[in-house]
Each structure stands twice: as structure tokens, then as C-alpha cells.
């Protein structure tokens, strides 16, 4: 099962996604992975990572850092029906993949990043019985941005559309309130 959780910054999407995975996971799962995609840049990044680890300390997650190349990640051999994973978050993974392709045009970089990321999502789906992906909603502020930021927003938009189509459940969290746009409520 694939569940995608989206929302704006500070919306409560991450906490909702964790709690939903734990609820659906119950005692039936033996392997529970937290796939962290945020590269720790500077003191603020390190503090944020430390805070997030403390918040999930007693929830039974094995944390796996994966900043890029998601398709190379191995969680379990074969389809692990008793394996669950939370990918936190697509927004960071998209930026990491897009901006790693130095010298590529925006369009070429977006295409290669999208292919790379979805090869990873498909591989994760083959290794888990439950995959929850957290992604960001960065499209409703109505502002104009520089070319590289717009390129990133277009990539994240394409990824979110593809995730919505592929997901069994797609939910937007607004002020900690889940709005089920596909499937659910769970």
C-alpha cells in the first residue's frame, strides 16, 4: 500500500504521517524504517535532525539516511509484507536530486531527477507492504521565484501529481486536520 501525505510547512503532515503508519502498522510489522532525506547543512539543519530523531525515539523506527539515489536503497529482500517505511520527505529528496546535476539545464535536470526518484519509489514498493511518503505543498503562495526555484517547484509538482496517481491514499494535512483527497479515511 502506498500512502502520500502532503501539506504546507508547519501543517502537521509529518506527525500525521508517522502516527498513521504506526496505526496501520500495529504489531504485525517486524521491520519499520524511517528514510530521512534531509542533508544536515549547518547548525540549524543539525538541530532539526536531532529534534526529529528525539520525537520518534521510542516508535520502533530504524533510521536510514538517504539523500539521493533512492533506487540503491535496500530495506529487505523481496517483497517484505511485514516491512513498512516512512519516506520523509519528497521535498528534500527532489532538491537533492535536482541540484546535484551541476551543469544540466533545468528541463534535463528535472527529467533525470524525476526518473531517478520514481525508480526509487518503485523499488521501495517492491520491498514493503506499507510505504508512507511525506511531501510538501509549496505552490499556493502566489509569488514569483528565480529560475532555479521555479525549476524545483515544477519538479516537485510533477512528483506530487505522479504520487497522487500511484497512491492508494492521498491526504493533505491542513492545520493538523487530514483532508482525504483519494482513498481513506484510514
Amino acid at each position: 500500500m502506498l500512502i502520500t501525505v502532503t501539506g504546507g510547512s508547519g501543517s502537521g503532515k509529518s506527525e500525521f504521517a508517522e502516527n498513521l503508519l504506526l496505526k496501520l502498522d500495529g504489531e504485525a510489522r517486524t521491520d519499520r524504517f524511517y528514510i530521512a532525506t534531509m542533508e544536515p547543512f549547518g547548525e540549524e539543519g543539525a538541530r532539526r535532525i536531532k529534534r526529529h530523531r528525539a520525537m520518534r525515539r521510542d516508535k520502533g523506527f530504524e533510521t536510514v539516511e538517504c539523500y539521493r539515489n533512492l533506487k540503491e536503497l535496500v530495506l529487505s529482500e523481496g517483497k517484505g509484507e511485514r516491512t513498512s517505511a516512512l519516506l520523509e520527505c519528497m521535498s528534500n529528496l527532489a532538491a537533492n536530486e535536482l541540484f546535484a546535476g551541476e551543469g544540466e539545464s533545468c528541463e534535463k535536470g528535472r527529467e533525470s531527477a524525476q526518473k531517478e526518484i520514481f525508480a526509487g519509489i518503485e523499488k521501495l514498493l517492491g520491498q514493503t507492504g506499507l510505504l508512507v511518503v511525506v511531501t510538501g505543498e509549496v505552490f499556493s503562495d502566489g509569488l514569483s521565484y528565480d529560475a532555479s526555484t521555479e525549476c524545483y517547484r515544477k519538479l516537485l509538482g510533477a512528483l506530487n501529481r505522479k504520487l497522487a496517481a500511484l497512491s492508494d491514499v492521498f491526504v493533505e494535512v491542513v492545520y493538523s486536520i487530514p483532508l482525504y483527497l483519494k482513498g481513506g479515511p484510514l
Side-chain angles (χ1 to χ4, degrees), residues 81-96:
E81 292 296 330
R82 294 177 50 109
T83 299
S84 61
L86 175 67
L87 176 66
E88 171 72 57
C89 98
M90 183 60 69
S91 305
N92 288 325
L93 185 61
N96 297 343

Side-chain angles (χ1 to χ4, degrees), residues 144-151:
S144 295
Y145 294 94
D146 62 59
S148 65
T149 303
E150 286 299 332
C151 184

Side-chain angles (χ1 to χ4, degrees), residues 56-127:
R56 66 176 182 272
R57 183 177 315 130
D58 299 321
K59 295 182 179 179
F61 285 102
E62 178 181 335
T63 300
V64 178
E65 311 259 337
C66 185
Y67 311 129
R68 294 186 56 234
N69 303 314
L70 188 60
K71 69 182 180 196
E72 304 299 323
L73 185 61
V74 176
L75 299 179
S76 63
E77 298 298 324
K79 179 126 176 121
E81 292 296 330
R82 294 177 50 109
T83 299
S84 61
L86 175 67
L87 176 66
E88 171 72 57
C89 98
M90 183 60 69
S91 305
N92 288 325
L93 185 61
N96 297 343
E97 288 290 352
L98 179 63
F99 297 118
E102 295 178 33
E104 290 185 327
S105 69
C106 174
E107 189 172 316
K108 185 175 181 189
R110 271 197 334 257
E111 287 175 15
S112 66
Q114 186 173 341
K115 287 178 187 173
E116 179 72 27
I117 290 168
F118 266 92
I121 293 292
E122 289 183 8
K123 184 168 181 188
L124 284 177
L125 286 171
Q127 298 179 68

Side-chain angles (χ1 to χ4, degrees), residues 34-46:
Y34 186 102
I35 304 166
T37 64
M38 185 179 133
E39 279 192 77
F41 291 113
E43 285 183 38
E44 175 61 27

